[in-house]
Short mmCIF file of all heavy atoms in Angstrom, two decimals:
data_model
loop_
_atom_site.label_atom_id
_atom_site.label_comp_id
_atom_site.label_asym_id
_atom_site.label_seq_id
_atom_site.Cartn_x
_atom_site.Cartn_y
_atom_site.Cartn_z
N MET S 2 97.23 102.00 74.14
CA MET S 2 96.64 100.77 74.71
C MET S 2 95.29 101.11 75.35
O MET S 2 95.19 102.06 76.10
CB MET S 2 97.60 100.22 75.77
CG MET S 2 97.10 98.98 76.46
SD MET S 2 98.30 98.27 77.60
CE MET S 2 98.14 99.33 79.04
N VAL S 3 94.28 100.33 74.99
CA VAL S 3 92.96 100.51 75.59
C VAL S 3 92.71 99.33 76.53
O VAL S 3 92.87 98.18 76.13
CB VAL S 3 91.86 100.55 74.51
CG1 VAL S 3 90.49 100.72 75.14
CG2 VAL S 3 92.14 101.67 73.53
N VAL S 4 92.36 99.64 77.76
CA VAL S 4 92.12 98.59 78.76
C VAL S 4 90.66 98.59 79.15
O VAL S 4 90.05 99.65 79.33
CB VAL S 4 93.00 98.84 80.02
CG1 VAL S 4 92.73 97.79 81.09
CG2 VAL S 4 94.47 98.86 79.65
N LYS S 5 90.10 97.40 79.25
CA LYS S 5 88.73 97.25 79.75
C LYS S 5 88.74 96.27 80.91
O LYS S 5 89.38 95.23 80.83
CB LYS S 5 87.83 96.68 78.66
CG LYS S 5 87.23 97.72 77.77
CD LYS S 5 86.15 97.11 76.91
CE LYS S 5 85.92 98.00 75.72
NZ LYS S 5 85.21 97.33 74.67
N ILE S 6 88.02 96.61 81.95
CA ILE S 6 87.89 95.71 83.10
C ILE S 6 86.41 95.38 83.24
O ILE S 6 85.58 96.27 83.40
CB ILE S 6 88.40 96.38 84.39
CG1 ILE S 6 89.88 96.76 84.24
CG2 ILE S 6 88.20 95.45 85.60
CD1 ILE S 6 90.46 97.52 85.41
N ILE S 7 86.12 94.10 83.14
CA ILE S 7 84.73 93.66 83.24
C ILE S 7 84.56 92.86 84.54
O ILE S 7 85.30 91.91 84.78
CB ILE S 7 84.35 92.74 82.05
CG1 ILE S 7 84.71 93.41 80.71
CG2 ILE S 7 82.87 92.36 82.11
CD1 ILE S 7 83.89 94.61 80.35
N ILE S 8 83.58 93.26 85.34
CA ILE S 8 83.28 92.54 86.58
C ILE S 8 81.90 91.91 86.42
O ILE S 8 80.93 92.60 86.12
CB ILE S 8 83.31 93.50 87.79
CG1 ILE S 8 84.72 94.08 87.95
CG2 ILE S 8 82.87 92.78 89.07
CD1 ILE S 8 84.81 95.31 88.82
N SER S 9 81.84 90.61 86.61
CA SER S 9 80.58 89.89 86.44
C SER S 9 79.70 90.05 87.68
O SER S 9 80.04 89.56 88.77
CB SER S 9 80.87 88.41 86.20
OG SER S 9 79.68 87.67 86.38
N GLU S 10 78.58 90.72 87.52
CA GLU S 10 77.64 90.89 88.65
C GLU S 10 77.09 89.54 89.07
O GLU S 10 76.75 89.33 90.23
CB GLU S 10 76.50 91.81 88.24
CG GLU S 10 76.96 93.22 87.98
CD GLU S 10 75.81 94.14 87.58
OE1 GLU S 10 74.65 93.82 87.88
OE2 GLU S 10 76.10 95.17 86.96
N LYS S 11 76.99 88.65 88.12
CA LYS S 11 76.42 87.33 88.40
C LYS S 11 77.35 86.50 89.28
O LYS S 11 76.91 85.78 90.18
CB LYS S 11 76.18 86.63 87.06
CG LYS S 11 75.55 85.28 87.13
CD LYS S 11 75.12 84.85 85.73
CE LYS S 11 75.06 83.35 85.62
NZ LYS S 11 76.34 82.73 85.32
N ASN S 12 78.64 86.59 89.05
CA ASN S 12 79.58 85.70 89.74
C ASN S 12 80.31 86.34 90.92
O ASN S 12 80.83 85.63 91.78
CB ASN S 12 80.65 85.20 88.75
CG ASN S 12 80.03 84.34 87.68
OD1 ASN S 12 78.99 83.73 87.88
ND2 ASN S 12 80.65 84.30 86.51
N CYS S 13 80.36 87.65 90.97
CA CYS S 13 81.16 88.31 92.01
C CYS S 13 80.57 88.08 93.40
O CYS S 13 79.37 88.20 93.61
CB CYS S 13 81.25 89.80 91.72
SG CYS S 13 82.10 90.71 93.02
N ALA S 14 81.46 87.78 94.36
CA ALA S 14 81.03 87.54 95.74
C ALA S 14 80.93 88.83 96.56
O ALA S 14 80.59 88.80 97.74
CB ALA S 14 81.99 86.58 96.41
N GLY S 15 81.27 89.96 95.96
CA GLY S 15 81.05 91.24 96.62
C GLY S 15 82.11 91.60 97.64
O GLY S 15 83.16 90.96 97.75
N SER S 16 81.83 92.64 98.40
CA SER S 16 82.86 93.23 99.25
C SER S 16 83.28 92.34 100.42
O SER S 16 84.29 92.62 101.07
CB SER S 16 82.41 94.60 99.76
OG SER S 16 81.09 94.56 100.23
N GLU S 17 82.56 91.26 100.67
CA GLU S 17 83.05 90.33 101.69
C GLU S 17 84.27 89.59 101.17
O GLU S 17 85.03 89.00 101.94
CB GLU S 17 81.95 89.35 102.06
CG GLU S 17 80.72 90.09 102.50
CD GLU S 17 80.02 89.47 103.67
OE1 GLU S 17 80.22 88.28 103.91
OE2 GLU S 17 79.27 90.21 104.32
N CYS S 18 84.44 89.60 99.87
CA CYS S 18 85.62 89.00 99.23
C CYS S 18 86.68 90.10 99.05
O CYS S 18 87.66 90.14 99.78
CB CYS S 18 85.22 88.39 97.89
SG CYS S 18 86.63 87.98 96.85
N SER S 19 86.47 90.97 98.10
CA SER S 19 87.36 92.13 97.86
C SER S 19 88.81 91.75 97.56
O SER S 19 89.70 92.61 97.70
CB SER S 19 87.33 93.10 99.05
OG SER S 19 86.07 93.70 99.16
N LEU S 20 89.08 90.51 97.18
CA LEU S 20 90.47 90.12 96.90
C LEU S 20 91.05 90.90 95.73
O LEU S 20 92.24 91.22 95.72
CB LEU S 20 90.55 88.61 96.64
CG LEU S 20 90.40 87.75 97.90
CD1 LEU S 20 90.36 86.28 97.53
CD2 LEU S 20 91.54 88.01 98.89
N CYS S 21 90.22 91.20 94.74
CA CYS S 21 90.73 91.97 93.58
C CYS S 21 91.22 93.35 94.04
O CYS S 21 92.26 93.83 93.58
CB CYS S 21 89.65 92.10 92.52
SG CYS S 21 88.09 92.77 93.12
N ILE S 22 90.50 93.95 94.95
CA ILE S 22 90.89 95.27 95.45
C ILE S 22 92.17 95.15 96.27
O ILE S 22 93.10 95.95 96.13
CB ILE S 22 89.76 95.87 96.32
CG1 ILE S 22 88.50 96.06 95.46
CG2 ILE S 22 90.18 97.19 96.96
CD1 ILE S 22 87.24 96.37 96.26
N TYR S 23 92.23 94.12 97.09
CA TYR S 23 93.39 93.91 97.95
C TYR S 23 94.67 93.67 97.14
O TYR S 23 95.74 94.20 97.47
CB TYR S 23 93.10 92.72 98.87
CG TYR S 23 94.25 92.35 99.76
CD1 TYR S 23 94.49 93.06 100.95
CD2 TYR S 23 95.10 91.30 99.43
CE1 TYR S 23 95.55 92.72 101.76
CE2 TYR S 23 96.16 90.95 100.25
CZ TYR S 23 96.39 91.67 101.41
OH TYR S 23 97.45 91.34 102.20
N TYR S 24 94.56 92.89 96.10
CA TYR S 24 95.77 92.51 95.34
C TYR S 24 96.17 93.53 94.29
O TYR S 24 97.29 93.48 93.80
CB TYR S 24 95.59 91.14 94.69
CG TYR S 24 95.82 90.01 95.67
CD1 TYR S 24 94.77 89.27 96.18
CD2 TYR S 24 97.11 89.70 96.09
CE1 TYR S 24 94.99 88.25 97.09
CE2 TYR S 24 97.34 88.68 97.00
CZ TYR S 24 96.28 87.96 97.50
OH TYR S 24 96.51 86.96 98.40
N CYS S 25 95.29 94.42 93.91
CA CYS S 25 95.67 95.42 92.89
C CYS S 25 96.74 96.34 93.46
O CYS S 25 96.52 97.05 94.44
CB CYS S 25 94.46 96.23 92.44
SG CYS S 25 94.95 97.51 91.25
N PRO S 26 97.92 96.37 92.81
CA PRO S 26 99.01 97.20 93.35
C PRO S 26 98.86 98.68 93.03
O PRO S 26 99.64 99.51 93.51
CB PRO S 26 100.26 96.63 92.66
CG PRO S 26 99.78 95.92 91.45
CD PRO S 26 98.34 95.57 91.65
N HIS S 27 97.85 99.05 92.23
CA HIS S 27 97.76 100.44 91.78
C HIS S 27 96.42 101.11 92.14
O HIS S 27 96.06 102.13 91.55
CB HIS S 27 97.99 100.51 90.27
CG HIS S 27 99.34 99.98 89.89
ND1 HIS S 27 100.50 100.63 90.25
CD2 HIS S 27 99.72 98.85 89.24
CE1 HIS S 27 101.54 99.93 89.81
NE2 HIS S 27 101.09 98.84 89.20
N GLU S 28 95.70 100.51 93.04
CA GLU S 28 94.44 101.10 93.54
C GLU S 28 93.49 101.47 92.40
O GLU S 28 92.89 102.54 92.39
CB GLU S 28 94.73 102.30 94.44
CG GLU S 28 95.52 101.86 95.67
CD GLU S 28 95.89 102.98 96.61
OE1 GLU S 28 95.67 104.16 96.28
OE2 GLU S 28 96.39 102.66 97.70
N VAL S 29 93.39 100.55 91.45
CA VAL S 29 92.49 100.75 90.31
C VAL S 29 91.04 100.47 90.72
O VAL S 29 90.11 101.05 90.17
CB VAL S 29 92.90 99.82 89.15
CG1 VAL S 29 91.89 99.85 88.02
CG2 VAL S 29 94.30 100.20 88.65
N LEU S 30 90.86 99.59 91.68
CA LEU S 30 89.52 99.11 92.04
C LEU S 30 89.11 99.62 93.42
O LEU S 30 89.95 99.78 94.31
CB LEU S 30 89.51 97.57 92.04
CG LEU S 30 89.96 96.92 90.73
CD1 LEU S 30 90.23 95.44 90.94
CD2 LEU S 30 88.90 97.11 89.65
N GLY S 31 87.81 99.83 93.58
CA GLY S 31 87.26 100.23 94.87
C GLY S 31 85.91 99.55 95.05
O GLY S 31 85.48 98.74 94.21
N ILE S 32 85.24 99.87 96.12
CA ILE S 32 83.92 99.28 96.39
C ILE S 32 82.84 100.25 95.94
O ILE S 32 82.87 101.43 96.30
CB ILE S 32 83.78 98.93 97.88
CG1 ILE S 32 84.81 97.85 98.25
CG2 ILE S 32 82.36 98.44 98.20
CD1 ILE S 32 84.89 97.54 99.72
N SER S 33 81.89 99.73 95.15
CA SER S 33 80.83 100.58 94.61
C SER S 33 79.67 100.70 95.60
O SER S 33 79.68 100.10 96.67
CB SER S 33 80.33 99.99 93.29
OG SER S 33 79.54 98.85 93.55
N GLU S 34 78.67 101.43 95.18
CA GLU S 34 77.43 101.55 95.98
C GLU S 34 76.46 100.43 95.63
O GLU S 34 75.40 100.31 96.26
CB GLU S 34 76.75 102.88 95.64
CG GLU S 34 77.59 104.10 95.90
CD GLU S 34 77.57 104.49 97.36
OE1 GLU S 34 76.48 104.64 97.91
OE2 GLU S 34 78.67 104.60 97.94
N GLN S 35 76.81 99.66 94.61
CA GLN S 35 75.85 98.68 94.08
C GLN S 35 75.94 97.34 94.83
O GLN S 35 77.02 96.74 94.91
CB GLN S 35 76.17 98.44 92.59
CG GLN S 35 75.08 97.73 91.85
CD GLN S 35 75.47 97.47 90.40
OE1 GLN S 35 76.39 98.07 89.85
NE2 GLN S 35 74.77 96.56 89.78
N PRO S 36 74.85 96.87 95.41
CA PRO S 36 74.88 95.61 96.16
C PRO S 36 75.21 94.43 95.24
O PRO S 36 74.82 94.41 94.08
CB PRO S 36 73.46 95.47 96.70
CG PRO S 36 72.82 96.79 96.52
CD PRO S 36 73.53 97.50 95.43
N SER S 37 75.94 93.47 95.77
CA SER S 37 76.22 92.26 94.99
C SER S 37 75.10 91.25 95.24
O SER S 37 74.32 91.37 96.19
CB SER S 37 77.57 91.66 95.37
OG SER S 37 77.43 90.73 96.40
N ARG S 38 75.05 90.28 94.42
CA ARG S 38 74.01 89.26 94.50
C ARG S 38 74.15 88.44 95.79
O ARG S 38 73.18 88.01 96.39
CB ARG S 38 74.17 88.34 93.27
CG ARG S 38 73.10 87.36 93.02
CD ARG S 38 73.39 86.61 91.74
NE ARG S 38 74.69 85.96 91.76
CZ ARG S 38 74.92 84.77 92.28
NH1 ARG S 38 73.95 84.08 92.80
NH2 ARG S 38 76.13 84.25 92.27
N ILE S 39 75.39 88.27 96.25
CA ILE S 39 75.66 87.38 97.38
C ILE S 39 75.68 88.13 98.71
O ILE S 39 75.24 87.64 99.74
CB ILE S 39 76.99 86.64 97.13
CG1 ILE S 39 76.82 85.73 95.91
CG2 ILE S 39 77.42 85.83 98.35
CD1 ILE S 39 78.09 85.15 95.38
N GLY S 40 76.19 89.34 98.71
CA GLY S 40 76.27 90.11 99.95
C GLY S 40 77.30 91.20 99.80
O GLY S 40 78.21 91.10 98.99
N GLY S 41 77.16 92.25 100.58
CA GLY S 41 78.07 93.39 100.43
C GLY S 41 77.86 94.07 99.09
O GLY S 41 76.85 93.86 98.42
N ASN S 42 78.82 94.87 98.69
CA ASN S 42 78.71 95.62 97.44
C ASN S 42 79.72 95.12 96.41
O ASN S 42 80.76 94.57 96.76
CB ASN S 42 78.95 97.11 97.69
CG ASN S 42 77.83 97.74 98.47
OD1 ASN S 42 76.91 97.05 98.90
ND2 ASN S 42 77.89 99.02 98.65
N LEU S 43 79.40 95.39 95.15
CA LEU S 43 80.30 95.01 94.06
C LEU S 43 81.51 95.93 94.03
O LEU S 43 81.41 97.10 94.39
CB LEU S 43 79.56 95.13 92.72
CG LEU S 43 78.44 94.14 92.47
CD1 LEU S 43 77.62 94.58 91.26
CD2 LEU S 43 79.00 92.74 92.25
N PRO S 44 82.64 95.42 93.52
CA PRO S 44 83.75 96.32 93.25
C PRO S 44 83.46 97.17 92.03
O PRO S 44 82.57 96.83 91.23
CB PRO S 44 84.93 95.38 93.00
CG PRO S 44 84.36 94.06 92.71
CD PRO S 44 82.95 94.03 93.20
N GLU S 45 84.19 98.24 91.86
CA GLU S 45 84.08 99.06 90.66
C GLU S 45 85.46 99.59 90.29
O GLU S 45 86.38 99.61 91.13
CB GLU S 45 83.12 100.23 90.88
CG GLU S 45 83.63 101.25 91.87
CD GLU S 45 82.71 102.44 92.02
OE1 GLU S 45 81.76 102.59 91.25
OE2 GLU S 45 82.95 103.23 92.96
N VAL S 46 85.58 100.01 89.05
CA VAL S 46 86.82 100.60 88.58
C VAL S 46 86.83 102.06 88.96
O VAL S 46 85.91 102.81 88.61
CB VAL S 46 86.94 100.44 87.05
CG1 VAL S 46 88.22 101.09 86.55
CG2 VAL S 46 86.89 98.96 86.67
N ILE S 47 87.84 102.47 89.71
CA ILE S 47 87.88 103.88 90.13
C ILE S 47 89.01 104.65 89.45
O ILE S 47 88.98 105.86 89.41
CB ILE S 47 87.97 104.03 91.67
CG1 ILE S 47 89.17 103.28 92.24
CG2 ILE S 47 86.69 103.58 92.35
CD1 ILE S 47 89.39 103.56 93.73
N ASP S 48 90.00 103.93 88.91
CA ASP S 48 91.12 104.64 88.27
C ASP S 48 91.73 103.79 87.16
O ASP S 48 92.84 103.25 87.31
CB ASP S 48 92.16 105.01 89.33
CG ASP S 48 93.07 106.11 88.84
OD1 ASP S 48 92.99 106.48 87.65
OD2 ASP S 48 93.85 106.64 89.66
N LEU S 49 91.01 103.69 86.06
CA LEU S 49 91.43 102.80 84.96
C LEU S 49 92.80 103.19 84.39
O LEU S 49 93.57 102.33 83.97
CB LEU S 49 90.36 102.84 83.86
CG LEU S 49 90.54 101.87 82.70
CD1 LEU S 49 90.54 100.43 83.19
CD2 LEU S 49 89.46 102.07 81.66
N ASP S 50 93.11 104.46 84.40
CA ASP S 50 94.39 104.92 83.84
C ASP S 50 95.59 104.31 84.55
O ASP S 50 96.68 104.24 84.00
CB ASP S 50 94.50 106.45 83.92
CG ASP S 50 93.56 107.12 82.93
OD1 ASP S 50 93.05 106.43 82.04
OD2 ASP S 50 93.34 108.34 83.06
N ASN S 51 95.40 103.90 85.79
CA ASN S 51 96.51 103.32 86.55
C ASN S 51 96.68 101.83 86.32
O ASN S 51 97.62 101.22 86.84
CB ASN S 51 96.30 103.54 88.06
CG ASN S 51 96.83 104.88 88.50
OD1 ASN S 51 97.56 105.52 87.77
ND2 ASN S 51 96.45 105.28 89.69
N CYS S 52 95.78 101.21 85.57
CA CYS S 52 95.86 99.77 85.37
C CYS S 52 97.03 99.42 84.45
O CYS S 52 97.15 99.96 83.35
CB CYS S 52 94.56 99.24 84.77
SG CYS S 52 94.60 97.46 84.48
N THR S 53 97.89 98.53 84.90
CA THR S 53 99.06 98.10 84.13
C THR S 53 98.84 96.73 83.48
O THR S 53 99.77 96.14 82.94
CB THR S 53 100.29 98.02 85.03
OG1 THR S 53 100.01 97.10 86.09
CG2 THR S 53 100.67 99.37 85.60
N VAL S 54 97.62 96.21 83.59
CA VAL S 54 97.28 94.90 83.03
C VAL S 54 98.17 93.80 83.62
O VAL S 54 98.57 92.86 82.94
CB VAL S 54 97.32 94.90 81.48
CG1 VAL S 54 96.66 93.67 80.90
CG2 VAL S 54 96.64 96.14 80.92
N CYS S 55 98.47 93.92 84.89
CA CYS S 55 99.29 92.89 85.56
C CYS S 55 98.48 91.62 85.79
O CYS S 55 99.03 90.56 86.03
CB CYS S 55 99.83 93.42 86.88
SG CYS S 55 98.55 93.70 88.14
N ARG S 56 97.17 91.74 85.79
CA ARG S 56 96.23 90.63 85.94
C ARG S 56 96.23 89.98 87.34
O ARG S 56 95.71 88.88 87.51
CB ARG S 56 96.46 89.54 84.88
CG ARG S 56 96.25 90.07 83.46
CD ARG S 56 96.24 88.97 82.44
NE ARG S 56 96.24 89.51 81.08
CZ ARG S 56 95.16 89.95 80.43
NH1 ARG S 56 93.98 89.90 81.01
NH2 ARG S 56 95.25 90.45 79.22
N LEU S 57 96.78 90.63 88.32
CA LEU S 57 96.76 90.07 89.67
C LEU S 57 95.33 89.93 90.19
O LEU S 57 95.00 88.98 90.90
CB LEU S 57 97.58 90.94 90.63
CG LEU S 57 99.10 90.80 90.48
CD1 LEU S 57 99.81 91.84 91.34
CD2 LEU S 57 99.55 89.40 90.88
N CYS S 58 94.46 90.87 89.82
CA CYS S 58 93.06 90.79 90.25
C CYS S 58 92.41 89.54 89.64
O CYS S 58 91.72 88.79 90.34
CB CYS S 58 92.31 92.05 89.86
SG CYS S 58 92.45 92.47 88.10
N GLU S 59 92.65 89.35 88.35
CA GLU S 59 92.07 88.18 87.65
C GLU S 59 92.56 86.87 88.28
O GLU S 59 91.78 85.95 88.53
CB GLU S 59 92.55 88.22 86.20
CG GLU S 59 91.51 88.32 85.17
CD GLU S 59 92.14 88.36 83.77
OE1 GLU S 59 93.31 88.00 83.57
OE2 GLU S 59 91.42 88.78 82.88
N ILE S 60 93.85 86.80 88.53
CA ILE S 60 94.47 85.57 89.04
C ILE S 60 93.93 85.21 90.42
O ILE S 60 93.73 84.05 90.73
CB ILE S 60 96.01 85.75 89.09
CG1 ILE S 60 96.58 85.83 87.67
CG2 ILE S 60 96.69 84.63 89.88
CD1 ILE S 60 97.99 86.40 87.61
N HIS S 61 93.69 86.22 91.25
CA HIS S 61 93.29 85.96 92.64
C HIS S 61 91.78 85.87 92.85
O HIS S 61 91.34 85.49 93.93
CB HIS S 61 93.88 87.02 93.57
CG HIS S 61 95.35 86.84 93.78
ND1 HIS S 61 96.29 87.53 93.05
CD2 HIS S 61 96.04 86.02 94.59
CE1 HIS S 61 97.50 87.15 93.43
NE2 HIS S 61 97.38 86.23 94.36
N CYS S 62 91.01 86.21 91.85
CA CYS S 62 89.55 86.16 92.04
C CYS S 62 89.08 84.70 92.13
O CYS S 62 89.26 83.94 91.18
CB CYS S 62 88.84 86.86 90.88
SG CYS S 62 87.05 86.69 91.01
N PRO S 63 88.49 84.31 93.24
CA PRO S 63 88.08 82.92 93.41
C PRO S 63 86.87 82.54 92.57
O PRO S 63 86.56 81.36 92.42
CB PRO S 63 87.77 82.82 94.91
CG PRO S 63 87.46 84.21 95.34
CD PRO S 63 88.22 85.12 94.44
N GLU S 64 86.16 83.53 92.05
CA GLU S 64 84.93 83.27 91.28
C GLU S 64 85.13 83.48 89.78
O GLU S 64 84.16 83.40 89.02
CB GLU S 64 83.80 84.19 91.76
CG GLU S 64 83.59 84.24 93.27
CD GLU S 64 83.10 82.91 93.83
OE1 GLU S 64 82.58 82.10 93.05
OE2 GLU S 64 83.28 82.69 95.04
N MET S 65 86.34 83.78 89.37
CA MET S 65 86.63 84.13 87.97
C MET S 65 85.65 85.21 87.48
O MET S 65 85.07 85.12 86.40
CB MET S 65 86.59 82.89 87.07
CG MET S 65 87.75 81.96 87.40
SD MET S 65 88.02 80.70 86.19
CE MET S 65 86.74 79.56 86.57
N ALA S 66 85.43 86.20 88.32
CA ALA S 66 84.41 87.22 88.06
C ALA S 66 84.97 88.51 87.49
O ALA S 66 84.21 89.40 87.12
CB ALA S 66 83.65 87.53 89.36
N ILE S 67 86.31 88.62 87.40
CA ILE S 67 86.88 89.86 86.87
C ILE S 67 87.79 89.52 85.70
O ILE S 67 88.60 88.59 85.79
CB ILE S 67 87.59 90.67 87.98
CG1 ILE S 67 88.10 92.01 87.44
CG2 ILE S 67 88.71 89.90 88.66
CD1 ILE S 67 88.44 93.03 88.53
N SER S 68 87.62 90.26 84.61
CA SER S 68 88.38 89.99 83.39
C SER S 68 89.00 91.29 82.89
O SER S 68 88.33 92.34 82.87
CB SER S 68 87.48 89.43 82.29
OG SER S 68 86.79 88.30 82.77
N ILE S 69 90.24 91.17 82.46
CA ILE S 69 90.97 92.34 81.93
C ILE S 69 91.17 92.14 80.44
O ILE S 69 91.68 91.09 80.02
CB ILE S 69 92.35 92.47 82.61
CG1 ILE S 69 92.25 92.36 84.12
CG2 ILE S 69 93.05 93.76 82.19
CD1 ILE S 69 91.48 93.46 84.79
N TYR S 70 90.80 93.13 79.66
CA TYR S 70 91.00 93.07 78.20
C TYR S 70 91.89 94.23 77.79
O TYR S 70 91.71 95.36 78.26
CB TYR S 70 89.66 93.18 77.47
CG TYR S 70 88.74 92.05 77.80
CD1 TYR S 70 87.78 92.17 78.79
CD2 TYR S 70 88.85 90.83 77.11
CE1 TYR S 70 86.94 91.11 79.10
CE2 TYR S 70 88.01 89.77 77.41
CZ TYR S 70 87.05 89.92 78.40
OH TYR S 70 86.22 88.88 78.73
N LYS S 71 92.83 93.91 76.93
CA LYS S 71 93.75 94.95 76.46
C LYS S 71 93.76 94.96 74.94
O LYS S 71 93.91 93.92 74.30
CB LYS S 71 95.15 94.64 76.99
CG LYS S 71 96.20 95.62 76.54
CD LYS S 71 97.57 95.27 77.08
CE LYS S 71 98.19 94.15 76.31
NZ LYS S 71 99.62 93.95 76.58
N GLU S 72 93.58 96.14 74.36
CA GLU S 72 93.71 96.29 72.92
C GLU S 72 94.84 97.27 72.65
O GLU S 72 94.88 98.34 73.24
CB GLU S 72 92.41 96.85 72.32
CG GLU S 72 91.28 95.86 72.33
CD GLU S 72 89.94 96.54 72.02
OE1 GLU S 72 89.94 97.63 71.43
OE2 GLU S 72 88.91 95.97 72.42
N GLU S 73 95.77 96.85 71.79
CA GLU S 73 96.91 97.74 71.46
C GLU S 73 96.44 98.84 70.53
O GLU S 73 95.58 98.64 69.71
CB GLU S 73 98.04 96.94 70.83
CG GLU S 73 98.61 95.88 71.75
CD GLU S 73 99.33 96.47 72.98
OE1 GLU S 73 99.66 97.67 72.97
OE2 GLU S 73 99.56 95.71 73.92
S1 LIG O 102 95.22 94.17 86.05
FE1 LIG O 102 96.59 94.71 87.78
S2 LIG O 102 96.65 96.96 87.82
FE2 LIG O 102 94.87 96.34 86.56
S3 LIG O 102 93.12 96.32 87.99
FE3 LIG O 102 93.97 94.22 87.92
S4 LIG O 102 95.44 94.11 89.61
FE4 LIG O 102 95.01 96.28 89.22
S1 LIG O 103 88.00 88.99 93.72
FE1 LIG O 103 86.35 88.38 92.30
S2 LIG O 103 84.66 87.69 93.61
FE2 LIG O 103 86.09 88.84 94.90
S3 LIG O 103 85.25 90.97 94.92
FE3 LIG O 103 86.78 90.83 93.26
S4 LIG O 103 85.62 90.31 91.39
FE4 LIG O 103 84.30 89.86 93.16
#
């Protein structure tokens, strides 16, 4: 299984939101050094191998800024 996590720089509200990081049960996401357009820093993928494609990050993102793609 190949997993891709795409975070939209255009739509993400940055680390003042961080809901995707909070809801991820496997600590796949962290805060990057890259500033977001709105404030704070963008999230980044820090441990893709731990992603179980549960989609909790996608479901809780208020900006629809994070997308999970899975290829078998
Ligand atoms: S799909 Fe689930 S495991 Fe993967 S990054 Fe999102 S919340 Fe974490
Ligand atoms: S939940 Fe969405 S808007 Fe909030 S930090 Fe994560 S990707 Fe950005």
Side-chain angles (χ1 to χ4, degrees):
M2 178 175 79
V3 179
V4 178
K5 272 191 201 163
I6 300 176
I7 308 291
I8 298 163
S9 165
E10 294 180 21
K11 182 169 155 276
N12 295 334
C13 176
S16 46
E17 305 220 339
C18 166
S19 293
L20 286 174
C21 53
I22 298 168
Y23 177 81
Y24 280 106
C25 177
H27 300 293
E28 297 178 352
V29 172
L30 304 166
I32 296 173
S33 74
E34 301 280 307
Q35 194 182 343
S37 91
R38 189 177 56 86
I39 295 169
N42 290 5
L43 292 167
E45 68 177 350
V46 178
I47 56 173
D48 199 351
L49 187 60
D50 289 346
N51 274 347
C52 179
T53 58
V54 193
C55 68
R56 298 190 189 278
L57 285 172
C58 54
E59 240 179 18
I60 291 163
H61 286 96
C62 175
E64 311 294 340
M65 292 194 283
I67 184 163
S68 306
I69 312 295
Y70 297 96
K71 178 180 78 167
E72 289 167 21
E73 298 293 345

